[in-house]
């Protein structure tokens, strides 16, 4: 975790495309075992951000959906596998109990929506906080988890 977007940074994006571009840029800095904690209200743009991560890793972003009934989605075919977790339906979650393949996560990038619902802190994770600031503007803060 050094250099590039992985250092603490604040951004304002003006569109979903902007947010995806930011996530694409971040994806270039990611390595196996990296975890992205996504924090933000419904409609903030967490899933949009994950689509950008997918694109940046060389995965078809069309594969990335909001996993309404599936808590964990795995997307392969890119530079690294992307494991997408969405905890929206849970009040509190333990990663060991939701069917996450820890070995696969260690080999890929783990992106967790509603990460504030995790019961245990994840060491070394990167936190991406997205706030709706009116219209299509979003404030995005990237920093240590
Ligand atoms: P979440 O996963 O946080 O609930 P989504 O990514 O599913 O949110 O949805 C975000 C919605 O907000 C989409 O409809 C998207 O088009 C819209 N949107 C508008 N402006 C932005 C922006 N700057 N960044 C991301 N999404 C945006
Ligand atoms: Mg979502």
């Amino acid at each position: 975790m050094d250099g590039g977007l992985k250092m603490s940074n604040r951004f304002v994006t003006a569109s979903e495309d902007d947010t995806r571009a930011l996530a694409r840029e971040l994806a270039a800095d990611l390595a196996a075992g990296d975890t992205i904690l996504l924090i933000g209200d419904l409609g903030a743009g967490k899933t949009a951000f994950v689509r950008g991560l997918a694109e940046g890793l060389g995965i078809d972003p069309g594969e990335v959906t909001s996993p309404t009934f599936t808590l964990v989605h795995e997307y392969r075919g890119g530079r690294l596998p992307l494991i997408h977790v969405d905890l929206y339906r849970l009040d509190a979650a333990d990663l060991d109990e939701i069917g996450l393949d820890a070995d696969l996560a260690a080999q890929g990038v783990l992106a967790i929506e509603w990460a504030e619902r995790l019961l245990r802190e994840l060491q070394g994770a990167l936190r991406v906080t997205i706030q709706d600031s009116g219209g299509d503007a979003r404030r995005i803060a990237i920093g240590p988890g």
Side-chain angles (χ1 to χ4, degrees):
M1 294 255 172
D2 56 335
L5 282 180
K6 291 168 97 178
M7 299 194 328
S8 293
N9 269 308
R10 289 178 172 277
F11 304 88
V12 178
T13 64
S15 66
E16 177 173 353
D17 280 354
D18 256 14
T19 295
R20 279 169 65 157
L22 180 63
R24 277 203 302 274
E25 228 181 294
L26 174 63
D29 292 340
L30 296 176
D34 279 349
T35 298
I36 314 285
L37 308 174
L38 289 147
I39 316 284
D41 291 341
L42 199 63
K46 300 178 296 299
T47 301
F49 198 93
V50 176
R51 288 200 180 98
L53 290 178
E55 279 178 302
L57 292 171
I59 296 162
D60 175 5
E63 281 193 53
V64 178
T65 56
S66 288
T68 314
F69 295 107
T70 314
L71 292 170
V72 184
H73 279 195
E74 298 168 3
Y75 315 114
R76 297 165 199 266
R79 179 171 72 81
L80 296 165
L82 176 63
I83 302 94
H84 179 201
V85 174
D86 192 327
L87 302 176
Y88 177 62
R89 288 190 308 118
L90 303 181
D91 292 329
D94 192 322
L95 284 186
D96 294 336
E97 291 172 6
I98 62 166
L100 178 75
D101 180 340
D103 292 333
L104 180 66
Q107 293 161 23
V109 171
L110 177 61
I112 307 175
E113 295 190 45
W114 298 97
E116 66 269 40
R117 298 185 180 178
L118 286 174
L119 286 170
R120 280 183 288 173
E121 280 184 28
L122 294 177
Q123 297 300 316
L126 199 65
R127 178 187 299 257
V128 174
T129 305
I130 309 178
Q131 271 182 300
D132 187 331
S133 48
D136 287 350
R138 302 288 189 273
R139 287 176 190 284
I140 302 182
I142 301 179

